Short mmCIF file of all heavy atoms in Angstrom, two decimals:
data_model
loop_
_atom_site.label_atom_id
_atom_site.label_comp_id
_atom_site.label_asym_id
_atom_site.label_seq_id
_atom_site.Cartn_x
_atom_site.Cartn_y
_atom_site.Cartn_z
N MET S 201 41.25 -183.81 -23.11
CA MET S 201 42.45 -183.64 -23.88
C MET S 201 42.16 -182.71 -25.06
O MET S 201 41.08 -182.71 -25.60
CB MET S 201 42.96 -184.99 -24.37
CG MET S 201 43.35 -185.88 -23.23
SD MET S 201 44.39 -187.31 -23.60
CE MET S 201 43.77 -187.95 -25.08
N GLU S 202 43.16 -181.93 -25.39
CA GLU S 202 43.00 -180.91 -26.43
C GLU S 202 44.32 -180.71 -27.14
O GLU S 202 45.38 -180.70 -26.51
CB GLU S 202 42.54 -179.62 -25.74
CG GLU S 202 42.30 -178.48 -26.66
CD GLU S 202 41.76 -177.26 -25.90
OE1 GLU S 202 41.44 -177.35 -24.72
OE2 GLU S 202 41.69 -176.21 -26.54
N ASN S 203 44.29 -180.53 -28.44
CA ASN S 203 45.51 -180.24 -29.19
C ASN S 203 45.99 -178.83 -28.87
O ASN S 203 45.19 -177.92 -28.68
CB ASN S 203 45.26 -180.35 -30.69
CG ASN S 203 45.20 -181.77 -31.16
OD1 ASN S 203 45.46 -182.71 -30.41
ND2 ASN S 203 44.84 -181.95 -32.41
N VAL S 204 47.30 -178.68 -28.83
CA VAL S 204 47.94 -177.40 -28.55
C VAL S 204 48.96 -177.13 -29.64
O VAL S 204 49.70 -178.04 -30.03
CB VAL S 204 48.65 -177.43 -27.18
CG1 VAL S 204 49.33 -176.12 -26.88
CG2 VAL S 204 47.70 -177.79 -26.06
N ASP S 205 49.03 -175.91 -30.13
CA ASP S 205 50.05 -175.53 -31.10
C ASP S 205 51.21 -174.90 -30.37
O ASP S 205 51.01 -174.02 -29.54
CB ASP S 205 49.49 -174.53 -32.12
CG ASP S 205 48.44 -175.15 -33.02
OD1 ASP S 205 48.59 -176.32 -33.40
OD2 ASP S 205 47.45 -174.46 -33.33
N ILE S 206 52.42 -175.37 -30.67
CA ILE S 206 53.60 -174.76 -30.06
C ILE S 206 54.07 -173.64 -30.98
O ILE S 206 54.23 -173.83 -32.18
CB ILE S 206 54.71 -175.77 -29.75
CG1 ILE S 206 55.78 -175.12 -28.90
CG2 ILE S 206 55.27 -176.39 -31.01
CD1 ILE S 206 56.66 -176.09 -28.17
N LYS S 207 54.23 -172.47 -30.41
CA LYS S 207 54.64 -171.29 -31.15
C LYS S 207 56.17 -171.29 -31.27
O LYS S 207 56.86 -171.65 -30.32
CB LYS S 207 54.16 -170.06 -30.38
CG LYS S 207 54.07 -168.80 -31.15
CD LYS S 207 53.39 -167.74 -30.29
CE LYS S 207 53.23 -166.46 -31.03
NZ LYS S 207 52.58 -165.44 -30.22
N GLU S 208 56.66 -170.90 -32.42
CA GLU S 208 58.11 -170.86 -32.62
C GLU S 208 58.76 -169.96 -31.58
O GLU S 208 58.29 -168.86 -31.28
CB GLU S 208 58.44 -170.34 -34.02
CG GLU S 208 59.90 -170.48 -34.36
CD GLU S 208 60.21 -170.12 -35.80
OE1 GLU S 208 59.33 -170.28 -36.67
OE2 GLU S 208 61.33 -169.67 -36.03
N GLY S 209 59.86 -170.45 -31.01
CA GLY S 209 60.59 -169.69 -29.99
C GLY S 209 60.10 -169.95 -28.58
O GLY S 209 60.56 -169.32 -27.63
N TYR S 210 59.16 -170.87 -28.41
CA TYR S 210 58.60 -171.20 -27.10
C TYR S 210 58.78 -172.68 -26.81
O TYR S 210 58.93 -173.50 -27.71
CB TYR S 210 57.10 -170.87 -27.05
CG TYR S 210 56.81 -169.40 -27.02
CD1 TYR S 210 56.82 -168.65 -28.19
CD2 TYR S 210 56.52 -168.74 -25.83
CE1 TYR S 210 56.54 -167.30 -28.18
CE2 TYR S 210 56.23 -167.39 -25.81
CZ TYR S 210 56.25 -166.67 -26.98
OH TYR S 210 55.98 -165.33 -26.96
N ASN S 211 58.75 -173.01 -25.53
CA ASN S 211 58.75 -174.38 -25.04
C ASN S 211 57.66 -174.50 -23.99
O ASN S 211 57.16 -173.49 -23.49
CB ASN S 211 60.10 -174.74 -24.39
CG ASN S 211 61.23 -174.70 -25.37
OD1 ASN S 211 61.20 -175.38 -26.38
ND2 ASN S 211 62.24 -173.90 -25.07
N PHE S 212 57.33 -175.71 -23.63
CA PHE S 212 56.40 -175.94 -22.53
C PHE S 212 57.19 -176.32 -21.29
O PHE S 212 58.16 -177.07 -21.37
CB PHE S 212 55.40 -177.05 -22.89
CG PHE S 212 54.52 -176.70 -24.06
CD1 PHE S 212 54.45 -177.52 -25.16
CD2 PHE S 212 53.76 -175.54 -24.05
CE1 PHE S 212 53.63 -177.21 -26.23
CE2 PHE S 212 52.95 -175.21 -25.13
CZ PHE S 212 52.89 -176.05 -26.22
N ARG S 213 56.76 -175.79 -20.14
CA ARG S 213 57.47 -176.09 -18.89
C ARG S 213 56.46 -176.45 -17.81
O ARG S 213 55.50 -175.72 -17.57
CB ARG S 213 58.28 -174.88 -18.44
CG ARG S 213 59.03 -175.16 -17.13
CD ARG S 213 59.92 -174.03 -16.70
NE ARG S 213 60.98 -173.86 -17.70
CZ ARG S 213 61.70 -172.75 -17.81
NH1 ARG S 213 61.47 -171.74 -17.01
NH2 ARG S 213 62.64 -172.66 -18.72
N LEU S 214 56.72 -177.58 -17.15
CA LEU S 214 55.92 -178.00 -16.02
C LEU S 214 56.29 -177.14 -14.83
O LEU S 214 57.46 -177.02 -14.49
CB LEU S 214 56.19 -179.48 -15.72
CG LEU S 214 55.38 -180.11 -14.61
CD1 LEU S 214 53.89 -180.10 -14.95
CD2 LEU S 214 55.86 -181.53 -14.36
N THR S 215 55.31 -176.51 -14.22
CA THR S 215 55.54 -175.67 -13.06
C THR S 215 54.45 -175.99 -12.03
O THR S 215 53.28 -175.72 -12.27
CB THR S 215 55.59 -174.17 -13.41
OG1 THR S 215 55.66 -173.40 -12.23
CG2 THR S 215 54.43 -173.72 -14.24
N GLY S 216 54.85 -176.62 -10.96
CA GLY S 216 53.88 -177.06 -9.97
C GLY S 216 53.03 -178.17 -10.56
O GLY S 216 53.55 -179.16 -11.05
N ASN S 217 51.72 -177.98 -10.58
CA ASN S 217 50.82 -179.00 -11.12
C ASN S 217 50.21 -178.59 -12.45
O ASN S 217 49.13 -179.03 -12.81
CB ASN S 217 49.73 -179.33 -10.10
CG ASN S 217 48.85 -178.13 -9.81
OD1 ASN S 217 49.19 -177.00 -10.15
ND2 ASN S 217 47.72 -178.35 -9.18
N LYS S 218 50.91 -177.71 -13.19
CA LYS S 218 50.40 -177.27 -14.49
C LYS S 218 51.57 -177.05 -15.44
O LYS S 218 52.71 -176.93 -15.03
CB LYS S 218 49.57 -176.01 -14.35
CG LYS S 218 50.34 -174.82 -13.82
CD LYS S 218 49.42 -173.65 -13.54
CE LYS S 218 50.10 -172.61 -12.74
NZ LYS S 218 50.23 -172.89 -11.33
N THR S 219 51.25 -177.00 -16.73
CA THR S 219 52.26 -176.77 -17.75
C THR S 219 51.94 -175.44 -18.44
O THR S 219 50.82 -175.21 -18.87
CB THR S 219 52.27 -177.91 -18.79
OG1 THR S 219 52.52 -179.13 -18.10
CG2 THR S 219 53.34 -177.69 -19.83
N LEU S 220 52.94 -174.57 -18.51
CA LEU S 220 52.79 -173.27 -19.14
C LEU S 220 53.80 -173.14 -20.27
O LEU S 220 54.76 -173.90 -20.35
CB LEU S 220 53.02 -172.15 -18.11
CG LEU S 220 52.04 -172.12 -16.94
CD1 LEU S 220 52.49 -171.11 -15.90
CD2 LEU S 220 50.64 -171.81 -17.41
N ALA S 221 53.60 -172.19 -21.14
CA ALA S 221 54.55 -171.90 -22.21
C ALA S 221 55.58 -170.89 -21.69
O ALA S 221 55.24 -170.01 -20.88
CB ALA S 221 53.83 -171.33 -23.43
N VAL S 222 56.81 -171.06 -22.12
CA VAL S 222 57.89 -170.12 -21.78
C VAL S 222 58.63 -169.79 -23.06
O VAL S 222 58.74 -170.62 -23.97
CB VAL S 222 58.85 -170.69 -20.72
CG1 VAL S 222 58.18 -170.85 -19.39
CG2 VAL S 222 59.47 -172.00 -21.17
N GLN S 223 59.13 -168.58 -23.12
CA GLN S 223 59.91 -168.17 -24.28
C GLN S 223 61.33 -168.72 -24.11
O GLN S 223 61.90 -168.65 -23.02
CB GLN S 223 59.94 -166.65 -24.35
CG GLN S 223 60.05 -166.11 -25.73
CD GLN S 223 59.80 -164.61 -25.76
OE1 GLN S 223 59.65 -163.95 -24.75
NE2 GLN S 223 59.76 -164.08 -26.96
N SER S 224 61.88 -169.27 -25.17
CA SER S 224 63.22 -169.84 -25.12
C SER S 224 64.23 -168.79 -24.67
O SER S 224 64.26 -167.69 -25.22
CB SER S 224 63.62 -170.39 -26.48
OG SER S 224 62.71 -171.38 -26.90
N GLY S 225 65.01 -169.13 -23.65
CA GLY S 225 66.05 -168.23 -23.16
C GLY S 225 65.57 -167.15 -22.21
O GLY S 225 66.37 -166.32 -21.78
N VAL S 226 64.28 -167.13 -21.87
CA VAL S 226 63.75 -166.12 -20.95
C VAL S 226 63.18 -166.84 -19.73
O VAL S 226 62.24 -167.62 -19.85
CB VAL S 226 62.63 -165.28 -21.62
CG1 VAL S 226 62.08 -164.26 -20.66
CG2 VAL S 226 63.16 -164.61 -22.88
N ASP S 227 63.76 -166.59 -18.55
CA ASP S 227 63.29 -167.24 -17.33
C ASP S 227 62.31 -166.36 -16.57
O ASP S 227 62.42 -165.13 -16.59
CB ASP S 227 64.47 -167.57 -16.41
CG ASP S 227 65.31 -168.71 -16.95
OD1 ASP S 227 64.75 -169.58 -17.64
OD2 ASP S 227 66.52 -168.72 -16.67
N GLY S 228 61.34 -166.98 -15.92
CA GLY S 228 60.45 -166.27 -15.03
C GLY S 228 59.25 -165.60 -15.68
O GLY S 228 58.48 -164.93 -14.99
N VAL S 229 59.09 -165.71 -16.98
CA VAL S 229 57.93 -165.12 -17.67
C VAL S 229 57.14 -166.28 -18.27
O VAL S 229 57.69 -167.09 -19.02
CB VAL S 229 58.36 -164.13 -18.77
CG1 VAL S 229 57.14 -163.52 -19.45
CG2 VAL S 229 59.24 -163.04 -18.19
N TYR S 230 55.86 -166.35 -17.93
CA TYR S 230 55.03 -167.48 -18.34
C TYR S 230 53.89 -167.03 -19.25
O TYR S 230 53.39 -165.90 -19.12
CB TYR S 230 54.46 -168.18 -17.10
CG TYR S 230 55.54 -168.73 -16.23
CD1 TYR S 230 56.02 -168.01 -15.14
CD2 TYR S 230 56.11 -169.97 -16.49
CE1 TYR S 230 57.03 -168.51 -14.35
CE2 TYR S 230 57.12 -170.47 -15.71
CZ TYR S 230 57.58 -169.75 -14.63
OH TYR S 230 58.59 -170.24 -13.85
N TYR S 231 53.48 -167.93 -20.14
CA TYR S 231 52.43 -167.64 -21.10
C TYR S 231 51.41 -168.78 -21.12
O TYR S 231 51.76 -169.94 -20.86
CB TYR S 231 53.03 -167.47 -22.51
CG TYR S 231 54.04 -166.37 -22.58
CD1 TYR S 231 55.38 -166.61 -22.32
CD2 TYR S 231 53.64 -165.07 -22.90
CE1 TYR S 231 56.31 -165.58 -22.37
CE2 TYR S 231 54.58 -164.04 -22.96
CZ TYR S 231 55.90 -164.30 -22.68
OH TYR S 231 56.82 -163.29 -22.72
N CYS S 232 50.20 -168.45 -21.49
CA CYS S 232 49.16 -169.45 -21.67
C CYS S 232 49.58 -170.37 -22.83
O CYS S 232 49.94 -169.87 -23.89
CB CYS S 232 47.83 -168.77 -21.99
SG CYS S 232 46.53 -169.91 -22.48
N PRO S 233 49.52 -171.67 -22.66
CA PRO S 233 49.91 -172.57 -23.75
C PRO S 233 48.89 -172.64 -24.88
O PRO S 233 49.15 -173.24 -25.92
CB PRO S 233 50.06 -173.93 -23.06
CG PRO S 233 49.19 -173.84 -21.86
CD PRO S 233 49.21 -172.41 -21.44
N PHE S 234 47.74 -172.00 -24.72
CA PHE S 234 46.70 -172.01 -25.75
C PHE S 234 46.71 -170.73 -26.59
O PHE S 234 46.70 -170.78 -27.81
CB PHE S 234 45.32 -172.22 -25.13
CG PHE S 234 45.21 -173.51 -24.37
CD1 PHE S 234 45.21 -173.53 -22.99
CD2 PHE S 234 45.12 -174.71 -25.05
CE1 PHE S 234 45.11 -174.72 -22.30
CE2 PHE S 234 45.02 -175.91 -24.37
CZ PHE S 234 45.02 -175.92 -22.98
N CYS S 235 46.74 -169.55 -25.92
CA CYS S 235 46.66 -168.29 -26.67
C CYS S 235 47.94 -167.45 -26.56
O CYS S 235 48.05 -166.42 -27.19
CB CYS S 235 45.45 -167.48 -26.20
SG CYS S 235 45.62 -166.75 -24.55
N TYR S 236 48.90 -167.89 -25.74
CA TYR S 236 50.19 -167.23 -25.56
C TYR S 236 50.11 -165.83 -24.97
O TYR S 236 51.02 -165.02 -25.16
CB TYR S 236 51.01 -167.26 -26.86
CG TYR S 236 51.51 -168.66 -27.13
CD1 TYR S 236 50.73 -169.58 -27.83
CD2 TYR S 236 52.74 -169.08 -26.64
CE1 TYR S 236 51.17 -170.87 -28.04
CE2 TYR S 236 53.19 -170.37 -26.85
CZ TYR S 236 52.40 -171.26 -27.55
OH TYR S 236 52.84 -172.54 -27.75
N SER S 237 49.05 -165.53 -24.24
CA SER S 237 49.03 -164.27 -23.50
C SER S 237 49.84 -164.47 -22.21
O SER S 237 49.88 -165.56 -21.66
CB SER S 237 47.60 -163.84 -23.19
OG SER S 237 46.96 -164.80 -22.39
N GLN S 238 50.49 -163.40 -21.76
CA GLN S 238 51.32 -163.51 -20.56
C GLN S 238 50.44 -163.76 -19.35
O GLN S 238 49.34 -163.21 -19.23
CB GLN S 238 52.14 -162.24 -20.37
CG GLN S 238 53.19 -162.38 -19.29
CD GLN S 238 54.16 -161.21 -19.27
OE1 GLN S 238 54.29 -160.48 -20.23
NE2 GLN S 238 54.85 -161.06 -18.16
N THR S 239 50.93 -164.60 -18.44
CA THR S 239 50.18 -164.95 -17.25
C THR S 239 51.13 -165.04 -16.07
O THR S 239 52.35 -165.03 -16.24
CB THR S 239 49.41 -166.27 -17.44
OG1 THR S 239 48.53 -166.47 -16.34
CG2 THR S 239 50.35 -167.45 -17.59
N ALA S 240 50.58 -165.15 -14.88
CA ALA S 240 51.39 -165.34 -13.68
C ALA S 240 51.49 -166.83 -13.37
O ALA S 240 50.55 -167.59 -13.64
CB ALA S 240 50.75 -164.61 -12.50
N GLU S 241 52.60 -167.25 -12.83
CA GLU S 241 52.81 -168.66 -12.51
C GLU S 241 51.75 -169.17 -11.53
O GLU S 241 51.37 -170.34 -11.58
CB GLU S 241 54.20 -168.85 -11.91
CG GLU S 241 54.54 -170.28 -11.60
CD GLU S 241 55.93 -170.44 -11.02
OE1 GLU S 241 56.61 -169.44 -10.75
OE2 GLU S 241 56.33 -171.59 -10.83
N ALA S 242 51.22 -168.32 -10.68
CA ALA S 242 50.25 -168.74 -9.67
C ALA S 242 48.84 -168.94 -10.23
O ALA S 242 48.00 -169.56 -9.58
CB ALA S 242 50.21 -167.71 -8.55
N GLU S 243 48.55 -168.44 -11.41
CA GLU S 243 47.20 -168.56 -11.99
C GLU S 243 46.89 -170.01 -12.36
O GLU S 243 47.79 -170.78 -12.67
CB GLU S 243 47.07 -167.69 -13.23
CG GLU S 243 47.21 -166.20 -12.98
CD GLU S 243 46.06 -165.63 -12.15
OE1 GLU S 243 44.94 -166.15 -12.23
OE2 GLU S 243 46.31 -164.66 -11.43
N THR S 244 45.61 -170.35 -12.37
CA THR S 244 45.19 -171.70 -12.75
C THR S 244 44.45 -171.71 -14.08
O THR S 244 44.23 -172.77 -14.66
CB THR S 244 44.28 -172.33 -11.68
OG1 THR S 244 43.15 -171.48 -11.49
CG2 THR S 244 45.03 -172.51 -10.37
N ARG S 245 44.06 -170.53 -14.56
CA ARG S 245 43.38 -170.42 -15.85
C ARG S 245 43.77 -169.10 -16.50
O ARG S 245 44.15 -168.15 -15.84
CB ARG S 245 41.87 -170.56 -15.71
CG ARG S 245 41.13 -169.36 -15.24
CD ARG S 245 39.60 -169.48 -15.25
NE ARG S 245 39.11 -170.82 -15.19
CZ ARG S 245 38.19 -171.33 -16.01
NH1 ARG S 245 37.64 -170.60 -16.93
NH2 ARG S 245 37.80 -172.56 -15.88
N CYS S 246 43.66 -169.08 -17.81
CA CYS S 246 44.03 -167.88 -18.58
C CYS S 246 42.92 -166.84 -18.47
O CYS S 246 41.75 -167.15 -18.65
CB CYS S 246 44.25 -168.28 -20.04
SG CYS S 246 44.68 -166.88 -21.09
N LYS S 247 43.30 -165.62 -18.21
CA LYS S 247 42.32 -164.53 -18.11
C LYS S 247 41.89 -164.01 -19.48
O LYS S 247 40.92 -163.28 -19.58
CB LYS S 247 42.90 -163.39 -17.28
CG LYS S 247 43.07 -163.77 -15.83
CD LYS S 247 43.59 -162.63 -14.99
CE LYS S 247 43.70 -163.08 -13.55
NZ LYS S 247 44.14 -162.03 -12.67
N VAL S 248 42.58 -164.41 -20.55
CA VAL S 248 42.24 -163.97 -21.90
C VAL S 248 41.34 -165.00 -22.60
O VAL S 248 40.24 -164.67 -23.03
CB VAL S 248 43.50 -163.69 -22.74
CG1 VAL S 248 43.15 -163.33 -24.16
CG2 VAL S 248 44.32 -162.58 -22.09
N CYS S 249 41.79 -166.25 -22.69
CA CYS S 249 40.99 -167.27 -23.39
C CYS S 249 40.12 -168.09 -22.44
O CYS S 249 39.31 -168.89 -22.89
CB CYS S 249 41.88 -168.18 -24.23
SG CYS S 249 42.94 -169.31 -23.28
N ASN S 250 40.31 -167.89 -21.14
CA ASN S 250 39.49 -168.52 -20.10
C ASN S 250 39.63 -170.04 -20.03
O ASN S 250 38.76 -170.73 -19.51
CB ASN S 250 38.02 -168.13 -20.26
CG ASN S 250 37.29 -168.16 -18.94
OD1 ASN S 250 37.86 -167.90 -17.90
ND2 ASN S 250 36.02 -168.51 -18.98
N LYS S 251 40.72 -170.60 -20.54
CA LYS S 251 40.95 -172.04 -20.46
C LYS S 251 41.79 -172.36 -19.23
O LYS S 251 42.68 -171.60 -18.85
CB LYS S 251 41.68 -172.55 -21.70
CG LYS S 251 40.83 -172.49 -22.95
CD LYS S 251 41.54 -173.11 -24.11
CE LYS S 251 40.66 -173.07 -25.34
NZ LYS S 251 41.28 -173.75 -26.47
N ASN S 252 41.48 -173.50 -18.59
CA ASN S 252 42.29 -173.98 -17.49
C ASN S 252 43.65 -174.41 -18.02
O ASN S 252 43.73 -175.00 -19.10
CB ASN S 252 41.63 -175.19 -16.82
CG ASN S 252 40.38 -174.83 -16.06
OD1 ASN S 252 40.26 -173.74 -15.53
ND2 ASN S 252 39.44 -175.74 -16.02
N PHE S 253 44.70 -174.14 -17.25
CA PHE S 253 46.03 -174.57 -17.66
C PHE S 253 46.13 -176.09 -17.48
O PHE S 253 45.69 -176.63 -16.47
CB PHE S 253 47.11 -173.86 -16.85
CG PHE S 253 47.14 -172.38 -17.10
CD1 PHE S 253 47.26 -171.49 -16.04
CD2 PHE S 253 47.05 -171.85 -18.37
CE1 PHE S 253 47.30 -170.12 -16.27
CE2 PHE S 253 47.09 -170.49 -18.61
CZ PHE S 253 47.21 -169.63 -17.54
N PRO S 254 46.70 -176.79 -18.45
CA PRO S 254 46.77 -178.25 -18.39
C PRO S 254 47.81 -178.73 -17.37
O PRO S 254 48.79 -178.04 -17.10
CB PRO S 254 47.19 -178.64 -19.81
CG PRO S 254 47.94 -177.47 -20.31
CD PRO S 254 47.28 -176.26 -19.68
N GLN S 255 47.57 -179.92 -16.84
CA GLN S 255 48.55 -180.53 -15.95
C GLN S 255 49.78 -180.96 -16.75
O GLN S 255 50.90 -180.86 -16.27
CB GLN S 255 47.95 -181.74 -15.24
CG GLN S 255 46.89 -181.37 -14.25
CD GLN S 255 46.22 -182.60 -13.66
OE1 GLN S 255 46.42 -183.73 -14.11
NE2 GLN S 255 45.41 -182.39 -12.64
N LEU S 256 49.55 -181.43 -17.96
CA LEU S 256 50.65 -181.96 -18.77
C LEU S 256 50.40 -181.68 -20.24
O LEU S 256 49.26 -181.73 -20.71
CB LEU S 256 50.75 -183.47 -18.54
CG LEU S 256 51.89 -184.21 -19.20
CD1 LEU S 256 53.23 -183.71 -18.68
CD2 LEU S 256 51.76 -185.71 -18.94
N ILE S 257 51.45 -181.37 -20.96
CA ILE S 257 51.41 -181.27 -22.42
C ILE S 257 52.46 -182.23 -22.94
O ILE S 257 53.62 -182.16 -22.55
CB ILE S 257 51.69 -179.84 -22.91
CG1 ILE S 257 50.61 -178.88 -22.41
CG2 ILE S 257 51.77 -179.80 -24.44
CD1 ILE S 257 50.85 -177.42 -22.75
N TYR S 258 52.03 -183.13 -23.80
CA TYR S 258 52.98 -184.12 -24.31
C TYR S 258 52.90 -184.20 -25.83
O TYR S 258 51.90 -183.86 -26.44
CB TYR S 258 52.76 -185.50 -23.67
CG TYR S 258 51.41 -186.10 -23.93
CD1 TYR S 258 51.19 -186.96 -25.01
CD2 TYR S 258 50.33 -185.81 -23.10
CE1 TYR S 258 49.96 -187.50 -25.25
CE2 TYR S 258 49.08 -186.36 -23.34
CZ TYR S 258 48.91 -187.21 -24.40
OH TYR S 258 47.67 -187.74 -24.65
N TYR S 259 54.01 -184.65 -26.42
CA TYR S 259 54.13 -184.76 -27.87
C TYR S 259 53.62 -186.11 -28.33
O TYR S 259 54.01 -187.16 -27.80
CB TYR S 259 55.59 -184.57 -28.28
CG TYR S 259 55.81 -184.64 -29.76
CD1 TYR S 259 55.34 -183.64 -30.59
CD2 TYR S 259 56.49 -185.70 -30.33
CE1 TYR S 259 55.54 -183.68 -31.96
CE2 TYR S 259 56.70 -185.76 -31.69
CZ TYR S 259 56.22 -184.75 -32.50
OH TYR S 259 56.41 -184.81 -33.85
N HIS S 260 52.76 -186.11 -29.32
CA HIS S 260 52.20 -187.34 -29.90
C HIS S 260 52.85 -187.50 -31.27
O HIS S 260 52.45 -186.85 -32.24
CB HIS S 260 50.68 -187.21 -30.00
CG HIS S 260 50.00 -188.47 -30.32
ND1 HIS S 260 49.51 -188.76 -31.57
CD2 HIS S 260 49.74 -189.56 -29.55
CE1 HIS S 260 48.95 -189.95 -31.55
NE2 HIS S 260 49.09 -190.46 -30.34
N SER S 261 53.84 -188.37 -31.36
CA SER S 261 54.65 -188.49 -32.57
C SER S 261 53.90 -189.11 -33.76
O SER S 261 54.26 -188.87 -34.90
CB SER S 261 55.92 -189.29 -32.29
OG SER S 261 55.60 -190.59 -31.86
N ASP S 262 52.86 -189.89 -33.50
CA ASP S 262 52.13 -190.54 -34.60
C ASP S 262 51.56 -189.53 -35.59
O ASP S 262 51.54 -189.76 -36.79
CB ASP S 262 51.00 -191.41 -34.07
CG ASP S 262 51.51 -192.66 -33.36
OD1 ASP S 262 52.72 -192.96 -33.48
OD2 ASP S 262 50.71 -193.32 -32.68
N ASP S 263 51.07 -188.41 -35.06
CA ASP S 263 50.49 -187.40 -35.96
C ASP S 263 51.12 -186.02 -35.77
O ASP S 263 50.57 -185.02 -36.19
CB ASP S 263 48.97 -187.33 -35.81
CG ASP S 263 48.52 -187.05 -34.39
OD1 ASP S 263 49.38 -186.86 -33.51
OD2 ASP S 263 47.31 -187.02 -34.16
N ASP S 264 52.31 -185.97 -35.11
CA ASP S 264 53.08 -184.73 -34.96
C ASP S 264 52.26 -183.62 -34.31
O ASP S 264 52.20 -182.49 -34.81
CB ASP S 264 53.60 -184.29 -36.33
CG ASP S 264 54.67 -183.21 -36.22
OD1 ASP S 264 55.43 -183.22 -35.24
OD2 ASP S 264 54.72 -182.35 -37.11
N THR S 265 51.61 -183.95 -33.18
CA THR S 265 50.82 -182.95 -32.45
C THR S 265 51.21 -182.91 -30.98
O THR S 265 51.81 -183.85 -30.46
CB THR S 265 49.30 -183.27 -32.54
OG1 THR S 265 49.08 -184.58 -32.01
CG2 THR S 265 48.79 -183.19 -33.96
N TRP S 266 50.88 -181.80 -30.35
CA TRP S 266 51.04 -181.65 -28.91
C TRP S 266 49.64 -181.76 -28.29
O TRP S 266 48.69 -181.17 -28.79
CB TRP S 266 51.64 -180.29 -28.58
CG TRP S 266 53.08 -180.18 -28.98
CD1 TRP S 266 53.56 -179.77 -30.19
CD2 TRP S 266 54.22 -180.51 -28.20
NE1 TRP S 266 54.93 -179.82 -30.20
CE2 TRP S 266 55.36 -180.28 -28.99
CE3 TRP S 266 54.38 -180.98 -26.90
CZ2 TRP S 266 56.65 -180.49 -28.52
CZ3 TRP S 266 55.67 -181.21 -26.44
CH2 TRP S 266 56.79 -180.96 -27.24
N ILE S 267 49.54 -182.51 -27.20
CA ILE S 267 48.27 -182.77 -26.55
C ILE S 267 48.31 -182.25 -25.12
O ILE S 267 49.24 -182.56 -24.37
CB ILE S 267 47.95 -184.29 -26.51
CG1 ILE S 267 48.15 -184.92 -27.87
CG2 ILE S 267 46.59 -184.55 -25.89
CD1 ILE S 267 46.98 -184.99 -28.75
N ALA S 268 47.30 -181.47 -24.75
CA ALA S 268 47.15 -180.98 -23.38
C ALA S 268 46.18 -181.88 -22.65
O ALA S 268 45.11 -182.18 -23.16
CB ALA S 268 46.64 -179.54 -23.37
N SER S 269 46.53 -182.33 -21.46
CA SER S 269 45.63 -183.16 -20.68
C SER S 269 45.53 -182.62 -19.25
O SER S 269 46.46 -181.98 -18.77
CB SER S 269 46.08 -184.62 -20.66
OG SER S 269 47.30 -184.76 -19.98
N GLY S 270 44.40 -182.89 -18.63
CA GLY S 270 44.20 -182.45 -17.27
C GLY S 270 43.72 -181.03 -17.16
O GLY S 270 43.83 -180.42 -16.10
N ASN S 271 43.16 -180.46 -18.24
CA ASN S 271 42.65 -179.09 -18.15
C ASN S 271 41.13 -179.05 -18.19
O ASN S 271 40.55 -178.00 -18.26
CB ASN S 271 43.23 -178.21 -19.27
CG ASN S 271 42.81 -178.65 -20.65
OD1 ASN S 271 42.76 -179.83 -20.94
ND2 ASN S 271 42.53 -177.71 -21.53
N GLU S 272 40.51 -180.22 -18.11
CA GLU S 272 39.06 -180.26 -18.09
C GLU S 272 38.55 -179.75 -16.75
O GLU S 272 39.19 -179.94 -15.73
CB GLU S 272 38.56 -181.71 -18.31
CG GLU S 272 39.00 -182.30 -19.63
CD GLU S 272 40.42 -182.88 -19.62
OE1 GLU S 272 41.01 -183.04 -18.54
OE2 GLU S 272 40.94 -183.14 -20.70
N GLU S 273 37.41 -179.13 -16.76
CA GLU S 273 36.87 -178.59 -15.50
C GLU S 273 36.16 -179.66 -14.73
O GLU S 273 35.61 -180.58 -15.21
CB GLU S 273 35.88 -177.45 -15.81
CG GLU S 273 36.64 -176.25 -16.31
CD GLU S 273 35.78 -175.02 -16.38
OE1 GLU S 273 35.38 -174.55 -15.30
OE2 GLU S 273 35.52 -174.55 -17.48
#
């Protein structure tokens, strides 16, 4: 599990068995949820930061953070 920062103007979207970042109001363009570099939906890891895409990103209200899980190798 790893903390993830959500960038203003973006949301997280579950696509297949991974969660990617998407820009609000823009369909079909996906971004790495860690470094926000553009990626293809079919990729399993980011080619820029080299992190595996998480299976799920969820909001942890106790400390106002987003947590990525399922991206361990």
Side-chain angles (χ1 to χ4, degrees):
M201 297 197 319
E202 182 176 351
N203 284 353
V204 179
D205 292 323
I206 190 161
K207 199 172 182 180
E208 189 174 331
Y210 289 80
N211 296 304
F212 297 125
R213 180 176 296 161
L214 183 63
T215 173
N217 63 346
K218 62 187 167 283
T219 302
L220 298 172
V222 293
Q223 210 169 6
S224 301
V226 179
D227 288 330
V229 181
Y230 298 95
Y231 301 88
C232 171
F234 300 105
C235 72
Y236 287 87
S237 61
Q238 190 170 340
T239 189
E241 183 180 5
E243 296 293 330
T244 58
R245 79 174 23 229
C246 179
K247 292 182 179 183
V248 176
C249 70
N250 208 32
K251 291 185 179 184
N252 290 328
F253 295 136
Q255 291 174 351
L256 185 62
I257 297 175
Y258 61 93
Y259 181 69
H260 191 256
S261 61
D262 290 348
D263 57 3
D264 193 33
T265 58
W266 289 90
I267 311 268
S269 66
N271 64 320
E272 300 82 13
E273 289 191 66

